[in-house]
Amino acid sequence: MSRRPRQGGYGPPTDRGWSQRPYHHPAAAWGAAMSVGKVIAREREPIAGPLATLKMNHPIAGYDCPGCAWPDDQHGLRLDICENGMKHVTWEMTHKRVGPWFFAAHTVTELAEWTDFELEDAGRLTDPMVYDADLDKYVPISWDAAFALIAEELRALPTPDAATFYTSGRLSNEASYLYQLFMREFGTNNMPDCSNMCHEASGRALNASIGTGKGTTDLSDWAEADLLLLLGVNAASNAPRMLTSLMEMVKHGAQVVHVNPLVEAAATRTIVPHDFLDMALLRSSPTGTWDLQVRPGGDMAMMRAIAKVVFEAADTDPGVLDNEFIAAHTTGLEQYRALVQATSWADLVEQSGLTEQQLRRLGALYVQSDKTIISWCLGVAQHEHAVDMIREFANVLLLRGNIGRPGAGPSPVRGHSNVQGNRTCGIDHHAPTGLLDALDAHHGITCPRTPGLDTVGSIAAMHRGDVQVFVSLGGNFVLAAPDTDFTAAALARCALTVQVSTKLNRSHLVHGRKALILPCLGRTERDIQRDGLQGQTVEDAMSMVHLSVGRKKPASENLRSEPEIIARMARATLPHSRIPWEEYTANYDRIRDDMAVVLPGFADFNELIRKPLGFRIPQPAREREFVTGSGKAEFSSAPLHDVRPPAADMLVLQTMRSHDQWNTTIYANNDRYRGVKNIRELIFMNDADMAERGIPDGSLVDIVSTCKDGSQRELRSYRAIAYNTPKGSAAGYMPEMNVLIGHADYSAQSDQPLAKSINIRVTPAR
């Protein structure tokens, strides 16, 4: 996949002067309000946009924000919204349309030269389209013909495993359940999903340690905690509503420690926009009490240092350990204690990038805290040894009984709005046997038991030709995945690619020999089926499930809901299926009735979601019931891994989103909280690293990555910007920098792409 060099990267084309200046204002505040105003004006939604916010995240009658998975306010706050949610909704509600007339005017080759911003900014898709190779254009196709084409290609495969079915985190619980049910009746567990690229390590680590792939806390626990360790999280951009919780925790006297190579805006101060008096008075509040700038991947060494402080304190005061909890509910303590005691302070300092004084102070905070939460995001999860790292988090919590009681526990920060619900409802390429048995018993099918392909495995299989059909429910796979060119080539080798989408994106232009674009309803839009207006549910990052009901007129009469698209795809492919696909489409209560039987914790599903704030899925670990092999929470005794750059002239690069971006959707070329304007093709570097390489601030550089298989990839003429990041580290934006991640650069522990630990060399531009 080629692309002309542009200062704006995958954002809007620009030749405007770039700049970078430190941002000293509070997070959110008037900067957020002004940014939202610009988006509303650009999308020409001055009335519908603001009115829509009155329904966003509102119980029962409203719709769930299509952005992040941060929980809704548990008291039913009417303005539980944020800048990114407003941008996301307004971007979806645009007046612009992309219909047959648009595709008639543009070949795919021409559209491939547009920036990714231009593609999405063209507007909402209105009609199903099929690729015509002779014209090099997408042309209209009826829904019936589209489903017939999918069915024909799927039934012609030599094995069901020659198809793979991708899932975006925006898919509802009901659609996720239907999607995995269709796939399993068809005969495959090939279910790559976006969590394979973000929190797969978190799920595997927590399952191994405490028997659940989810966090155990909710917002009431955050309000009650004495200490919050927040690791690898850029909350002000990726979960802005978290700022309210951070602010309130500090106000109540909790220690809030931000651990990140970069000091992000969420670690400073905020004015929450719905606090009108604070906004009027410009009265900001702190959102943290301490910043620790670990080296990328240094979080494991930092956590082991906390454990070392705990064990040292326990030598004189055994009560520092929660001995009763440990004896009753855990296994493996003594082996872990020996490992920690054998780890030197010198190693912990070197691997964390922090001083011994900082590490000891952090350990002392933990010992002094009665209730501690450890929370993390992709800055932790996208490393080679992330599973071991997150299990170390669990170790530290177990030492003082900080799991299964109020105000304490692990709390991964999920990204997209229903990525956790996808997994809960069966989107899992290595699904537990209990789920498969329940599906068989209730639906009268025989689910395949062979583990399927995840994201990395699917890309490799398409590249080999083993997978011939790729179906994507949402997302922008080619830009979200690593090794962009390799991924594009893999998709191009398919017989058929199917994209179910709301807007045009790069993945529509990198396609198989046959290709379909199927336009679906957005979260904000009315979904009218045979039995009337339908709602769907989502699960937030803290296991709360609630109803989402769109209220806006659909962008086109020819849009279909995701449950309807899945059900019709299934019926066309499996015409003799006994599963009531048509009844599922007519009334989503019928889907939920079956989910209530099959899924643990979903009994009385239809009744529970009609409660004002929904319901929380029961979790054994929250009640100190640990569903592990031993029946107890298990201490991990993994070795401390070397996370330093592998050579003296190398840096460790982490990729990240800018503030004006949501996943692969780029709203502008700015990154307000990092002080950046009009540029995306940049790399943030430590000023000492720049001086050693003869790189002046703001000059052009070439970046070469060395991948695990020894191959190299290059980006040329990027702008090097001095930034406050630890020596030996660097940072830049995805998806522009995804090309530096080789197809072999994934964790052996989680299969996640190594987006936070890319080994690079940076030199002045040739």
Side-chain angles (χ1 to χ4, degrees):
M1 186 182 74
S2 63
R3 185 179 60 84
R4 296 193 307 268
R6 300 182 180 96
Q7 176 178 291
Y10 292 169
T14 183
D15 56 5
R16 298 176 62 187
W18 68 273
S19 64
Q20 192 280 322
R21 297 181 181 86
Y23 187 82
H24 297 299
H25 305 288
W30 284 104
M34 293 171 65
S35 177
V36 167
K38 290 177 182 178
V39 173
I40 290 173
R42 184 176 66 200
E43 298 305 319
R44 303 181 198 172
E45 292 290 354
I47 298 175
L51 286 177
T53 65
L54 300 178
K55 291 292 185 182
M56 187 157 64
N57 301 325
H58 188 65
I60 303 298
Y63 63 91
D64 186 75
C65 175
C68 79
W70 187 251
D72 296 345
D73 182 88
Q74 292 177 322
H75 304 291
L77 181 68
R78 292 193 66 86
L79 284 176
D80 190 18
I81 58 177
C82 72
E83 174 185 357
N84 271 9
M86 287 281 290
K87 287 178 183 175
H88 208 95
V89 165
T90 307
W91 192 247
E92 180 178 290
M93 292 171 56
T94 178
H95 71 287
K96 302 172 187 176
R97 300 290 181 264
V98 173
W101 62 91
F102 174 92
F103 290 106
H106 303 288
T107 66
V108 168
T109 301
E110 176 193 348
L111 290 172
E113 290 299 310
W114 290 27
T115 72
D116 299 86
F117 169 86
E118 290 170 314
L119 293 174
E120 290 202 39
D121 190 49
R124 288 290 301 278
L125 296 162
T126 63
D127 294 83
M129 308 294 293
V130 63
Y131 181 66
D132 185 321
D134 293 334
L135 297 175
D136 188 30
K137 292 180 178 181
Y138 278 98
V139 298
I141 186 173
S142 71
W143 280 104
D144 286 343
F147 294 130
L149 173 59
I150 295 169
E152 179 185 4
E153 292 293 332
L154 288 176
R155 290 202 298 264
L157 294 174
T159 168
D161 288 331
T164 196
F165 299 83
Y166 179 71
T167 312
S168 158
R170 75 145 197 253
L171 207 62
S172 71
N173 290 326
E174 291 78 8
S176 296
Y177 184 81
L178 292 191
Y179 200 38
Q180 62 84 35
L181 181 60
F182 165 42
M183 287 179 259
R184 291 191 165 111
E185 187 180 22
F186 177 61
T188 186
N189 283 315
N190 289 349
M191 300 181 195
D193 73 312
C194 56
S195 67
N196 296 154
M197 294 182 277
C198 56
H199 267 296
E200 186 72 34
S202 299
R204 295 191 186 191
L206 291 175
N207 265 312
S209 290
I210 61 173
T212 177
K214 306 177 184 181
T216 64
T217 67
D218 61 20
L219 285 181
S220 65
D221 294 312
W222 280 57
E224 195 171 333
D226 302 317
L227 172 64
L228 171 66
L229 303 181
L230 190 61
L231 299 91
V233 179
N234 177 16
S237 293
N238 298 342
R241 289 183 294 143
M242 187 198 294
L243 292 169
T244 302
S245 293
L246 299 178
M247 174 189 70
E248 290 175 348
M249 291 180 77
V250 175
K251 280 185 177 180
H252 296 156
Q255 295 291 317
V256 177
V257 181
H258 293 262
V259 181
N260 204 319
L262 309 180
V263 177
E264 302 284 17
T268 57
R269 303 181 68 84
T270 189
I271 304 175
V272 178
H274 61 244
D275 287 339
F276 300 126
L277 183 59
D278 285 352
M279 287 283 281
L281 299 176
L282 302 180
R283 185 169 60 199
S284 66
S285 301
T287 51
T289 56
W290 193 17
D291 286 294
L292 288 173
Q293 289 181 264
V294 296
R295 68 164 72 246
D299 313 76
M300 183 176 182
M302 187 196 75
M303 284 292 169
R304 187 155 294 179
I306 295 175
K308 197 169 183 70
V309 171
V310 171
F311 285 127
E312 288 176 356
D315 288 340
T316 56
D317 178 9
V320 168
L321 298 173
D322 189 335
N323 293 293
E324 183 178 346
F325 169 81
I326 290 170
H329 296 292
T330 75
T331 183
L333 172 68
E334 292 310 317
Q335 185 178 356
Y336 178 61
R337 185 201 295 261
L339 179 69
V340 171
Q341 291 174 338
T343 307
S344 70
W345 278 107
D347 283 345
L348 296 173
V349 167
E350 181 67 23
Q351 293 300 325
S352 68
L354 303 173
T355 67
E356 183 175 342
Q357 181 182 17
Q358 288 174 313
L359 295 171
R360 286 189 175 276
R361 178 187 167 195
L362 183 62
L365 285 179
Y366 183 63
V367 169
Q368 294 159 12
S369 168
D370 289 330
K371 301 172 182 178
T372 297
I373 291 173
I374 298 178
S375 183
W376 67 94
C377 199
L378 303 194
V380 166
Q382 291 179 325
H383 286 279
E384 176 72 65
H385 305 292
V387 172
D388 288 344
M389 194 185 310
I390 296 164
R391 292 204 67 186
E392 196 80 14
F393 300 177
N395 287 347
V396 168
L397 291 169
L398 292 172
L399 290 176
R400 290 180 51 76
N402 277 309
I403 292 181
R405 61 187 179 91
S411 187
V413 180
R414 305 290 183 180
H416 213 158
S417 61
N418 198 42
V419 63
Q420 184 161 299
N422 294 165
R423 186 58 58 92
T424 298
C425 296
I427 301 294
D428 191 344
H429 63 285
H430 48 71
T433 300
L435 171 64
L436 302 180
D437 290 344
L439 289 167
D440 287 354
H442 184 66
H443 291 289
I445 63 177
T446 302
C447 294
R449 262 50 180 187
T450 304
L453 297 174
D454 60 7
T455 294
V456 167
S458 292
I459 295 170
M462 286 188 285
H463 212 275
R464 293 191 305 267
D466 294 340
V467 164
Q468 284 291 304
V469 174
F470 174 83
V471 181
S472 179
L473 262 290
N476 184 357
F477 188 79
V478 73
L479 285 194
D483 201 338
T484 312
D485 291 339
F486 187 84
T487 300
L491 288 168
R493 294 183 181 185
C494 287
L496 173 68
T497 52
V498 181
Q499 302 286 340
V500 180
S501 310
T502 57
K503 284 193 167 189
L504 189 65
N505 66 47
R506 183 68 52 186
S507 295
H508 301 125
L509 311 178
V510 180
H511 54 76
R513 294 186 293 278
K514 297 178 182 178
L516 287 167
I517 298 174
L518 305 181
C520 64
L521 294 169
R523 186 77 59 83
T524 61
E525 292 170 320
R526 291 193 298 268
D527 181 1
I528 305 293
Q529 300 294 344
R530 184 196 69 191
D531 291 351
L533 180 66
Q534 302 297 310
Q536 301 180 58
T537 62
V538 295
E539 177 187 350
D540 65 32
M542 296 184 185
S543 301
M544 289 294 298
V545 178
H546 43 88
L547 193 63
S548 176
V549 183
R551 298 290 177 174
K552 190 175 184 294
K553 181 181 178 181
S556 165
E557 293 182 354
N558 215 9
L559 303 183
R560 298 293 181 266
S561 74
E562 286 158 326
E564 180 181 347
I565 291 171
I566 296 164
R568 292 181 65 182
M569 196 187 311
R571 177 57 74 200
T573 307
L574 305 168
H576 303 298
S577 170
R578 292 181 293 171
I579 292 173
W581 299 107
E582 291 78 12
E583 288 303 306
Y584 286 159
T585 299
N587 191 322
Y588 300 165
D589 278 357
R590 183 67 180 83
I591 308 172
R592 289 186 283 267
D593 285 340
D594 284 355
M595 295 170 72
V597 176
V598 172
L599 300 178
F602 280 72
D604 301 320
F605 191 11
N606 274 310
E607 291 73 25
L608 291 173
I609 60 165
R610 288 171 170 88
K611 291 185 175 182
L613 296 177
F615 71 102
R616 194 176 200 280
I617 300 173
Q619 227 176 353
R622 189 173 169 87
E623 308 303 324
R624 295 190 165 180
E625 297 176 14
F626 300 108
V627 189
T628 62
S630 65
K632 295 185 175 184
E634 299 186 358
F635 281 95
S636 168
S637 294
L640 189 64
H641 302 287
D642 190 353
V643 296
R644 296 171 297 179
D649 63 339
M650 278 188 172
L651 304 174
V652 175
L653 171 74
Q654 55 176 344
T655 66
M656 58 195 184
R657 298 187 293 214
S658 74
H659 181 66
D660 268 320
Q661 176 181 354
W662 183 252
N663 296 339
T664 59
T665 294
I666 299 166
Y667 302 113
N669 294 323
N670 305 326
D671 190 352
R672 185 172 78 249
Y673 291 141
R674 298 186 183 108
V676 171
K677 289 186 178 180
N678 299 322
I679 187 170
R680 289 185 56 83
E681 293 185 334
L682 60 77
I683 181 171
F684 294 117
M685 296 177 64
N686 177 281
D687 54 2
D689 289 327
M690 295 175 72
E692 289 175 3
R693 291 160 176 77
I695 298 171
D697 188 14
S699 63
L700 295 175
V701 296
D702 295 336
I703 307 164
V704 177
S705 65
T706 300
C707 305
K708 289 173 71 173
D709 61 2
S711 63
Q712 292 188 329
R713 286 156 177 77
E714 182 180 37
L715 285 171
R716 299 184 63 181
S717 297
Y718 267 51
R719 193 74 61 177
I721 294 176
Y723 204 80
N724 181 12
T725 186
K727 193 173 187 306
S729 68
Y733 300 133
M734 63 79 67
E736 286 84 353
M737 285 187 161
N738 285 9
V739 297
L740 296 174
I741 307 171
H743 58 269
D745 288 344
Y746 59 90
S747 165
Q749 296 186 342
S750 68
D751 280 357
Q752 279 189 239
L754 302 180
K756 296 295 188 290
S757 52
I758 307 165
N759 297 317
I760 62 168
R761 288 181 171 90
V762 185
T763 57
R766 296 193 298 274

